[in-house]
Amino acid sequence: MTLAEIFYSLQGEGMLAGMPSVFVRTSGCNLRCAWCDTPYASWHPEGESITVESVVEKVKNFPARHVVLTGGEPMVAKDLPALASELAKCGYHITIETAGTIPPDGIRCDLASISPKLSNSTPAPGTISESWIQRHESTRLQVPVLQEWITKYPYQLKFVVSGADDLAEIRELLDALDPAMDRSNVLLMPEGTDVETLRSRQQWLVQVCLENGFRYCDRLHISLFGNTKGT
């Protein structure tokens, strides 16, 4: 597989925020989100080819029992199921960060951290080729695939929210997935890669969570380390 980076840090988002974890970031993505904060693993994928065995050995160098498989979109890496299986054999808790556009197909996973892409993710004309814009828009939401993930694994649905208009899309998707879904599994996260932007969107989003029973999702790593690699 092509690996963009591997590092040891605290989880910055979701139910396990603050948990010391090894992050294994694969390179490659089937989407092109406008606000992507890891372009080196998606828009302009880079990295080195490495075997599953070598990745596992690198993971063992860190004092953690939690591993986050992320990207890009880690599910496009053909060796990811083998990696997840080997990590599970070693007793690691495995979180997979995915957009939920690719079926899990039985992959080992203790927490599916699913980030369905709203229309705010679609690149603006002129920022990338029209073919990529069309591909992104036609691929970003796969309801049957999302349903497979949430029925087969412990999960969190993590939405990147840019503005109030996003809320109608979120509610519509949740109704399509499961109208009776436990709203505490739904996390709303302000879009932004700096503390000032996140704070500007924080208060109204907190109020939305209070009114709807959603969980507020901070971006702890931004406030601790900034928007940098290896964090």
Side-chain angles (χ1 to χ4, degrees), residues 168-209:
E169 286 186 56
I170 292 171
R171 293 189 183 103
E172 181 179 357
L173 177 58
L174 295 179
D175 286 343
L177 291 173
D178 180 4
M181 178 185 294
D182 183 351
R183 286 329 196 225
S184 67
N185 286 341
V186 180
L187 289 73
L188 304 189
M189 180 174 66
E191 186 270 316
T193 55
D194 61 83
V195 173
E196 291 72 22
T197 301
L198 295 176
R199 285 177 178 169
S200 71
R201 293 171 170 156
Q202 188 175 62
Q203 289 306 313
W204 70 268
L205 195 53
V206 166
Q207 189 60 38
V208 168
C209 291

mmCIF file of all heavy atoms in Angstrom, residues 168-209:
data_model
loop_
_atom_site.group_PDB
_atom_site.id
_atom_site.type_symbol
_atom_site.label_atom_id
_atom_site.label_comp_id
_atom_site.label_asym_id
_atom_site.label_seq_id
_atom_site.Cartn_x
_atom_site.Cartn_y
_atom_site.Cartn_z
ATOM 1 N N ALA A 168 -30.312 20.865 6.827
ATOM 2 C CA ALA A 168 -31.398 20.189 6.114
ATOM 3 C C ALA A 168 -30.875 18.936 5.415
ATOM 4 O O ALA A 168 -31.545 17.890 5.409
ATOM 5 C CB ALA A 168 -32.033 21.136 5.098
ATOM 6 N N GLU A 169 -29.670 19.004 4.847
ATOM 7 C CA GLU A 169 -29.073 17.835 4.200
ATOM 8 C C GLU A 169 -28.813 16.727 5.213
ATOM 9 O O GLU A 169 -29.039 15.543 4.940
ATOM 10 C CB GLU A 169 -27.754 18.215 3.530
ATOM 11 C CG GLU A 169 -27.883 19.013 2.254
ATOM 12 C CD GLU A 169 -26.529 19.219 1.603
ATOM 13 O OE1 GLU A 169 -25.845 18.207 1.322
ATOM 14 O OE2 GLU A 169 -26.146 20.378 1.378
ATOM 15 N N ILE A 170 -28.329 17.112 6.392
ATOM 16 C CA ILE A 170 -28.029 16.124 7.427
ATOM 17 C C ILE A 170 -29.308 15.416 7.858
ATOM 18 O O ILE A 170 -29.352 14.180 7.943
ATOM 19 C CB ILE A 170 -27.343 16.802 8.631
ATOM 20 C CG1 ILE A 170 -25.945 17.299 8.224
ATOM 21 C CG2 ILE A 170 -27.251 15.833 9.814
ATOM 22 C CD1 ILE A 170 -25.272 18.158 9.264
ATOM 23 N N ARG A 171 -30.353 16.185 8.125
ATOM 24 C CA ARG A 171 -31.617 15.585 8.564
ATOM 25 C C ARG A 171 -32.189 14.665 7.486
ATOM 26 O O ARG A 171 -32.703 13.580 7.781
ATOM 27 C CB ARG A 171 -32.615 16.689 8.920
ATOM 28 C CG ARG A 171 -32.226 17.505 10.153
ATOM 29 C CD ARG A 171 -33.361 18.418 10.579
ATOM 30 N NE ARG A 171 -32.993 19.247 11.715
ATOM 31 C CZ ARG A 171 -32.658 20.537 11.637
ATOM 32 N NH1 ARG A 171 -32.646 21.141 10.460
ATOM 33 N NH2 ARG A 171 -32.338 21.214 12.729
ATOM 34 N N GLU A 172 -32.103 15.081 6.237
ATOM 35 C CA GLU A 172 -32.618 14.264 5.140
ATOM 36 C C GLU A 172 -31.861 12.938 5.044
ATOM 37 O O GLU A 172 -32.463 11.874 4.855
ATOM 38 C CB GLU A 172 -32.507 15.035 3.827
ATOM 39 C CG GLU A 172 -33.050 14.277 2.621
ATOM 40 C CD GLU A 172 -32.945 15.083 1.326
ATOM 41 O OE1 GLU A 172 -32.511 16.247 1.378
ATOM 42 O OE2 GLU A 172 -33.301 14.523 0.270
ATOM 43 N N LEU A 173 -30.548 12.994 5.191
ATOM 44 C CA LEU A 173 -29.750 11.770 5.113
ATOM 45 C C LEU A 173 -30.050 10.855 6.294
ATOM 46 O O LEU A 173 -30.189 9.634 6.122
ATOM 47 C CB LEU A 173 -28.261 12.110 5.071
ATOM 48 C CG LEU A 173 -27.304 10.913 5.051
ATOM 49 C CD1 LEU A 173 -27.576 10.012 3.862
ATOM 50 C CD2 LEU A 173 -25.856 11.377 5.059
ATOM 51 N N LEU A 174 -30.162 11.404 7.487
ATOM 52 C CA LEU A 174 -30.446 10.590 8.660
ATOM 53 C C LEU A 174 -31.793 9.887 8.519
ATOM 54 O O LEU A 174 -31.941 8.722 8.891
ATOM 55 C CB LEU A 174 -30.416 11.443 9.926
ATOM 56 C CG LEU A 174 -29.060 12.049 10.296
ATOM 57 C CD1 LEU A 174 -29.189 12.881 11.569
ATOM 58 C CD2 LEU A 174 -27.998 10.982 10.455
ATOM 59 N N ASP A 175 -32.781 10.592 7.990
ATOM 60 C CA ASP A 175 -34.093 9.979 7.770
ATOM 61 C C ASP A 175 -34.010 8.839 6.766
ATOM 62 O O ASP A 175 -34.698 7.823 6.898
ATOM 63 C CB ASP A 175 -35.097 11.026 7.289
ATOM 64 C CG ASP A 175 -35.554 11.964 8.400
ATOM 65 O OD1 ASP A 175 -35.364 11.622 9.576
ATOM 66 O OD2 ASP A 175 -36.078 13.051 8.075
ATOM 67 N N ALA A 176 -33.148 9.005 5.753
ATOM 68 C CA ALA A 176 -32.991 7.958 4.744
ATOM 69 C C ALA A 176 -32.268 6.740 5.321
ATOM 70 O O ALA A 176 -32.546 5.601 4.934
ATOM 71 C CB ALA A 176 -32.222 8.501 3.542
ATOM 72 N N LEU A 177 -31.357 6.983 6.246
ATOM 73 C CA LEU A 177 -30.593 5.887 6.837
ATOM 74 C C LEU A 177 -31.391 5.144 7.896
ATOM 75 O O LEU A 177 -31.500 3.924 7.872
ATOM 76 C CB LEU A 177 -29.296 6.425 7.452
ATOM 77 C CG LEU A 177 -28.233 6.935 6.486
ATOM 78 C CD1 LEU A 177 -27.092 7.587 7.249
ATOM 79 C CD2 LEU A 177 -27.696 5.794 5.625
ATOM 80 N N ASP A 178 -31.934 5.914 8.845
ATOM 81 C CA ASP A 178 -32.692 5.314 9.956
ATOM 82 C C ASP A 178 -33.346 6.436 10.749
ATOM 83 O O ASP A 178 -32.675 7.086 11.556
ATOM 84 C CB ASP A 178 -31.762 4.502 10.853
ATOM 85 C CG ASP A 178 -32.491 3.867 12.026
ATOM 86 O OD1 ASP A 178 -33.729 3.985 12.098
ATOM 87 O OD2 ASP A 178 -31.811 3.262 12.883
ATOM 88 N N PRO A 179 -34.637 6.664 10.567
ATOM 89 C CA PRO A 179 -35.314 7.749 11.290
ATOM 90 C C PRO A 179 -35.220 7.615 12.809
ATOM 91 O O PRO A 179 -35.313 8.612 13.528
ATOM 92 C CB PRO A 179 -36.775 7.616 10.818
ATOM 93 C CG PRO A 179 -36.680 6.918 9.507
ATOM 94 C CD PRO A 179 -35.526 5.974 9.632
ATOM 95 N N ALA A 180 -35.025 6.388 13.299
ATOM 96 C CA ALA A 180 -34.952 6.159 14.741
ATOM 97 C C ALA A 180 -33.506 6.111 15.250
ATOM 98 O O ALA A 180 -33.264 5.696 16.388
ATOM 99 C CB ALA A 180 -35.664 4.858 15.095
ATOM 100 N N MET A 181 -32.558 6.524 14.431
ATOM 101 C CA MET A 181 -31.153 6.469 14.813
ATOM 102 C C MET A 181 -30.890 7.235 16.111
ATOM 103 O O MET A 181 -31.445 8.308 16.343
ATOM 104 C CB MET A 181 -30.289 7.069 13.695
ATOM 105 C CG MET A 181 -28.800 7.101 13.996
ATOM 106 S SD MET A 181 -27.873 7.957 12.701
ATOM 107 C CE MET A 181 -28.131 6.838 11.319
ATOM 108 N N ASP A 182 -30.052 6.671 16.958
ATOM 109 C CA ASP A 182 -29.618 7.335 18.175
ATOM 110 C C ASP A 182 -28.816 8.581 17.793
ATOM 111 O O ASP A 182 -27.735 8.470 17.222
ATOM 112 C CB ASP A 182 -28.757 6.382 19.008
ATOM 113 C CG ASP A 182 -28.332 6.980 20.341
ATOM 114 O OD1 ASP A 182 -28.553 8.186 20.561
ATOM 115 O OD2 ASP A 182 -27.762 6.229 21.149
ATOM 116 N N ARG A 183 -29.356 9.745 18.095
ATOM 117 C CA ARG A 183 -28.708 10.992 17.679
ATOM 118 C C ARG A 183 -27.365 11.232 18.367
ATOM 119 O O ARG A 183 -26.579 12.063 17.922
ATOM 120 C CB ARG A 183 -29.628 12.182 17.939
ATOM 121 C CG ARG A 183 -30.844 12.382 17.015
ATOM 122 C CD ARG A 183 -30.658 11.905 15.615
ATOM 123 N NE ARG A 183 -31.663 12.425 14.685
ATOM 124 C CZ ARG A 183 -32.290 11.703 13.789
ATOM 125 N NH1 ARG A 183 -32.071 10.408 13.727
ATOM 126 N NH2 ARG A 183 -33.134 12.242 12.930
ATOM 127 N N SER A 184 -27.095 10.492 19.437
ATOM 128 C CA SER A 184 -25.788 10.656 20.077
ATOM 129 C C SER A 184 -24.667 10.060 19.241
ATOM 130 O O SER A 184 -23.481 10.302 19.505
ATOM 131 C CB SER A 184 -25.783 10.028 21.469
ATOM 132 O OG SER A 184 -25.904 8.624 21.395
ATOM 133 N N ASN A 185 -25.024 9.281 18.210
ATOM 134 C CA ASN A 185 -24.022 8.767 17.270
ATOM 135 C C ASN A 185 -23.726 9.757 16.150
ATOM 136 O O ASN A 185 -22.877 9.487 15.301
ATOM 137 C CB ASN A 185 -24.497 7.454 16.647
ATOM 138 C CG ASN A 185 -24.422 6.288 17.601
ATOM 139 O OD1 ASN A 185 -23.714 6.351 18.604
ATOM 140 N ND2 ASN A 185 -25.157 5.240 17.319
ATOM 141 N N VAL A 186 -24.451 10.878 16.140
ATOM 142 C CA VAL A 186 -24.299 11.884 15.087
ATOM 143 C C VAL A 186 -23.488 13.055 15.643
ATOM 144 O O VAL A 186 -23.889 13.707 16.601
ATOM 145 C CB VAL A 186 -25.671 12.378 14.591
ATOM 146 C CG1 VAL A 186 -25.503 13.431 13.505
ATOM 147 C CG2 VAL A 186 -26.500 11.200 14.091
ATOM 148 N N LEU A 187 -22.341 13.300 15.025
ATOM 149 C CA LEU A 187 -21.427 14.336 15.489
ATOM 150 C C LEU A 187 -21.365 15.460 14.462
ATOM 151 O O LEU A 187 -21.156 15.203 13.271
ATOM 152 C CB LEU A 187 -20.027 13.775 15.714
ATOM 153 C CG LEU A 187 -19.825 12.833 16.908
ATOM 154 C CD1 LEU A 187 -20.449 11.469 16.677
ATOM 155 C CD2 LEU A 187 -18.330 12.667 17.194
ATOM 156 N N LEU A 188 -21.539 16.683 14.922
ATOM 157 C CA LEU A 188 -21.426 17.850 14.051
ATOM 158 C C LEU A 188 -20.134 18.587 14.372
ATOM 159 O O LEU A 188 -19.873 18.951 15.519
ATOM 160 C CB LEU A 188 -22.623 18.793 14.240
ATOM 161 C CG LEU A 188 -24.019 18.189 14.039
ATOM 162 C CD1 LEU A 188 -25.068 19.299 14.033
ATOM 163 C CD2 LEU A 188 -24.100 17.364 12.771
ATOM 164 N N MET A 189 -19.338 18.810 13.342
ATOM 165 C CA MET A 189 -18.020 19.406 13.496
ATOM 166 C C MET A 189 -17.906 20.652 12.630
ATOM 167 O O MET A 189 -18.207 20.606 11.433
ATOM 168 C CB MET A 189 -16.955 18.387 13.073
ATOM 169 C CG MET A 189 -15.525 18.863 13.166
ATOM 170 S SD MET A 189 -14.365 17.501 12.820
ATOM 171 C CE MET A 189 -14.735 17.172 11.084
ATOM 172 N N PRO A 190 -17.497 21.784 13.199
ATOM 173 C CA PRO A 190 -17.357 22.980 12.374
ATOM 174 C C PRO A 190 -16.241 22.814 11.356
ATOM 175 O O PRO A 190 -15.175 22.275 11.668
ATOM 176 C CB PRO A 190 -17.030 24.085 13.389
ATOM 177 C CG PRO A 190 -16.430 23.359 14.563
ATOM 178 C CD PRO A 190 -17.108 22.022 14.598
ATOM 179 N N GLU A 191 -16.488 23.270 10.136
ATOM 180 C CA GLU A 191 -15.454 23.223 9.093
ATOM 181 C C GLU A 191 -14.450 24.332 9.346
ATOM 182 O O GLU A 191 -14.810 25.460 9.650
ATOM 183 C CB GLU A 191 -16.106 23.379 7.720
ATOM 184 C CG GLU A 191 -15.145 23.212 6.545
ATOM 185 C CD GLU A 191 -14.504 24.511 6.122
ATOM 186 O OE1 GLU A 191 -15.218 25.510 6.042
ATOM 187 O OE2 GLU A 191 -13.276 24.509 5.890
ATOM 188 N N GLY A 192 -13.172 23.996 9.232
ATOM 189 C CA GLY A 192 -12.128 24.990 9.421
ATOM 190 C C GLY A 192 -10.816 24.346 9.792
ATOM 191 O O GLY A 192 -10.789 23.262 10.390
ATOM 192 N N THR A 193 -9.716 25.009 9.457
ATOM 193 C CA THR A 193 -8.392 24.472 9.753
ATOM 194 C C THR A 193 -7.570 25.426 10.611
ATOM 195 O O THR A 193 -6.357 25.287 10.716
ATOM 196 C CB THR A 193 -7.624 24.166 8.447
ATOM 197 O OG1 THR A 193 -7.575 25.342 7.639
ATOM 198 C CG2 THR A 193 -8.289 23.033 7.688
ATOM 199 N N ASP A 194 -8.241 26.412 11.234
ATOM 200 C CA ASP A 194 -7.571 27.292 12.185
ATOM 201 C C ASP A 194 -8.534 27.590 13.324
ATOM 202 O O ASP A 194 -9.756 27.494 13.181
ATOM 203 C CB ASP A 194 -7.088 28.583 11.515
ATOM 204 C CG ASP A 194 -8.236 29.396 10.933
ATOM 205 O OD1 ASP A 194 -8.878 30.147 11.693
ATOM 206 O OD2 ASP A 194 -8.497 29.260 9.718
ATOM 207 N N VAL A 195 -7.985 27.947 14.464
ATOM 208 C CA VAL A 195 -8.778 28.129 15.676
ATOM 209 C C VAL A 195 -9.820 29.226 15.509
ATOM 210 O O VAL A 195 -10.961 29.083 15.958
ATOM 211 C CB VAL A 195 -7.857 28.437 16.873
ATOM 212 C CG1 VAL A 195 -8.683 28.802 18.107
ATOM 213 C CG2 VAL A 195 -6.961 27.234 17.178
ATOM 214 N N GLU A 196 -9.462 30.308 14.841
ATOM 215 C CA GLU A 196 -10.387 31.432 14.695
ATOM 216 C C GLU A 196 -11.636 31.036 13.904
ATOM 217 O O GLU A 196 -12.761 31.363 14.282
ATOM 218 C CB GLU A 196 -9.687 32.613 14.011
ATOM 219 C CG GLU A 196 -8.606 33.286 14.846
ATOM 220 C CD GLU A 196 -7.346 32.454 14.989
ATOM 221 O OE1 GLU A 196 -7.126 31.554 14.128
ATOM 222 O OE2 GLU A 196 -6.603 32.666 15.960
ATOM 223 N N THR A 197 -11.438 30.317 12.803
ATOM 224 C CA THR A 197 -12.579 29.879 11.994
ATOM 225 C C THR A 197 -13.458 28.912 12.769
ATOM 226 O O THR A 197 -14.689 29.003 12.739
ATOM 227 C CB THR A 197 -12.096 29.217 10.696
ATOM 228 O OG1 THR A 197 -11.302 30.143 9.948
ATOM 229 C CG2 THR A 197 -13.270 28.777 9.840
ATOM 230 N N LEU A 198 -12.833 27.994 13.474
ATOM 231 C CA LEU A 198 -13.603 27.025 14.251
ATOM 232 C C LEU A 198 -14.431 27.723 15.327
ATOM 233 O O LEU A 198 -15.610 27.414 15.525
ATOM 234 C CB LEU A 198 -12.666 26.002 14.888
ATOM 235 C CG LEU A 198 -11.910 25.086 13.924
ATOM 236 C CD1 LEU A 198 -10.939 24.191 14.687
ATOM 237 C CD2 LEU A 198 -12.871 24.239 13.103
ATOM 238 N N ARG A 199 -13.846 28.696 15.994
ATOM 239 C CA ARG A 199 -14.572 29.418 17.043
ATOM 240 C C ARG A 199 -15.728 30.229 16.478
ATOM 241 O O ARG A 199 -16.776 30.364 17.117
ATOM 242 C CB ARG A 199 -13.611 30.324 17.805
ATOM 243 C CG ARG A 199 -12.699 29.574 18.772
ATOM 244 C CD ARG A 199 -11.715 30.493 19.454
ATOM 245 N NE ARG A 199 -10.882 29.762 20.402
ATOM 246 C CZ ARG A 199 -9.797 30.275 20.981
ATOM 247 N NH1 ARG A 199 -9.422 31.523 20.723
ATOM 248 N NH2 ARG A 199 -9.094 29.544 21.845
ATOM 249 N N SER A 200 -15.554 30.758 15.273
ATOM 250 C CA SER A 200 -16.609 31.574 14.672
ATOM 251 C C SER A 200 -17.855 30.753 14.363
ATOM 252 O O SER A 200 -18.958 31.291 14.246
ATOM 253 C CB SER A 200 -16.100 32.250 13.400
ATOM 254 O OG SER A 200 -15.924 31.298 12.348
ATOM 255 N N ARG A 201 -17.679 29.435 14.212
ATOM 256 C CA ARG A 201 -18.793 28.561 13.896
ATOM 257 C C ARG A 201 -19.227 27.713 15.089
ATOM 258 O O ARG A 201 -20.143 26.908 14.985
ATOM 259 C CB ARG A 201 -18.396 27.632 12.731
ATOM 260 C CG ARG A 201 -18.197 28.386 11.436
ATOM 261 C CD ARG A 201 -17.597 27.525 10.363
ATOM 262 N NE ARG A 201 -17.634 28.217 9.077
ATOM 263 C CZ ARG A 201 -16.824 27.970 8.054
ATOM 264 N NH1 ARG A 201 -15.926 27.011 8.159
ATOM 265 N NH2 ARG A 201 -16.925 28.641 6.931
ATOM 266 N N GLN A 202 -18.589 27.932 16.205
ATOM 267 C CA GLN A 202 -18.761 27.042 17.340
ATOM 268 C C GLN A 202 -20.081 27.236 18.070
ATOM 269 O O GLN A 202 -20.821 26.270 18.302
ATOM 270 C CB GLN A 202 -17.599 27.253 18.319
ATOM 271 C CG GLN A 202 -17.519 26.284 19.451
ATOM 272 C CD GLN A 202 -16.269 26.529 20.278
ATOM 273 O OE1 GLN A 202 -16.095 27.606 20.861
ATOM 274 N NE2 GLN A 202 -15.386 25.557 20.321
ATOM 275 N N GLN A 203 -20.400 28.467 18.434
ATOM 276 C CA GLN A 203 -21.531 28.699 19.326
ATOM 277 C C GLN A 203 -22.868 28.304 18.713
ATOM 278 O O GLN A 203 -23.687 27.653 19.359
ATOM 279 C CB GLN A 203 -21.548 30.167 19.772
ATOM 280 C CG GLN A 203 -20.429 30.530 20.735
ATOM 281 C CD GLN A 203 -20.386 29.603 21.950
ATOM 282 O OE1 GLN A 203 -21.416 29.336 22.569
ATOM 283 N NE2 GLN A 203 -19.206 29.109 22.277
ATOM 284 N N TRP A 204 -23.096 28.688 17.460
ATOM 285 C CA TRP A 204 -24.381 28.343 16.852
ATOM 286 C C TRP A 204 -24.492 26.842 16.621
ATOM 287 O O TRP A 204 -25.571 26.265 16.715
ATOM 288 C CB TRP A 204 -24.607 29.114 15.547
ATOM 289 C CG TRP A 204 -23.740 28.717 14.402
ATOM 290 C CD1 TRP A 204 -22.552 29.252 14.065
ATOM 291 C CD2 TRP A 204 -24.006 27.692 13.438
ATOM 292 N NE1 TRP A 204 -22.042 28.631 12.936
ATOM 293 C CE2 TRP A 204 -22.921 27.673 12.531
ATOM 294 C CE3 TRP A 204 -25.062 26.800 13.237
ATOM 295 C CZ2 TRP A 204 -22.850 26.785 11.461
ATOM 296 C CZ3 TRP A 204 -24.992 25.915 12.168
ATOM 297 C CH2 TRP A 204 -23.896 25.919 11.301
ATOM 298 N N LEU A 205 -23.337 26.194 16.371
ATOM 299 C CA LEU A 205 -23.369 24.741 16.159
ATOM 300 C C LEU A 205 -23.623 24.014 17.481
ATOM 301 O O LEU A 205 -24.321 22.997 17.511
ATOM 302 C CB LEU A 205 -22.051 24.284 15.537
ATOM 303 C CG LEU A 205 -22.030 22.878 14.922
ATOM 304 C CD1 LEU A 205 -23.160 22.706 13.923
ATOM 305 C CD2 LEU A 205 -20.677 22.596 14.273
ATOM 306 N N VAL A 206 -23.083 24.531 18.565
ATOM 307 C CA VAL A 206 -23.369 23.974 19.886
ATOM 308 C C VAL A 206 -24.866 24.046 20.162
ATOM 309 O O VAL A 206 -25.474 23.087 20.663
ATOM 310 C CB VAL A 206 -22.583 24.724 20.980
ATOM 311 C CG1 VAL A 206 -23.120 24.381 22.366
ATOM 312 C CG2 VAL A 206 -21.095 24.381 20.895
ATOM 313 N N GLN A 207 -25.480 25.162 19.818
ATOM 314 C CA GLN A 207 -26.912 25.322 20.045
ATOM 315 C C GLN A 207 -27.720 24.332 19.214
ATOM 316 O O GLN A 207 -28.702 23.762 19.687
ATOM 317 C CB GLN A 207 -27.347 26.755 19.718
ATOM 318 C CG GLN A 207 -28.765 27.087 20.127
ATOM 319 C CD GLN A 207 -29.004 26.925 21.618
ATOM 320 O OE1 GLN A 207 -28.143 27.236 22.433
ATOM 321 N NE2 GLN A 207 -30.177 26.418 21.968
ATOM 322 N N VAL A 208 -27.290 24.114 17.985
ATOM 323 C CA VAL A 208 -27.959 23.124 17.127
ATOM 324 C C VAL A 208 -27.892 21.738 17.762
ATOM 325 O O VAL A 208 -28.882 20.986 17.768
ATOM 326 C CB VAL A 208 -27.306 23.096 15.726
ATOM 327 C CG1 VAL A 208 -27.781 21.890 14.934
ATOM 328 C CG2 VAL A 208 -27.622 24.380 14.974
ATOM 329 N N CYS A 209 -26.735 21.389 18.322
ATOM 330 C CA CYS A 209 -26.583 20.090 18.966
ATOM 331 C C CYS A 209 -27.506 19.973 20.178
ATOM 332 O O CYS A 209 -28.134 18.923 20.389
ATOM 333 C CB CYS A 209 -25.129 19.874 19.378
ATOM 334 S SG CYS A 209 -23.992 19.648 17.993
#
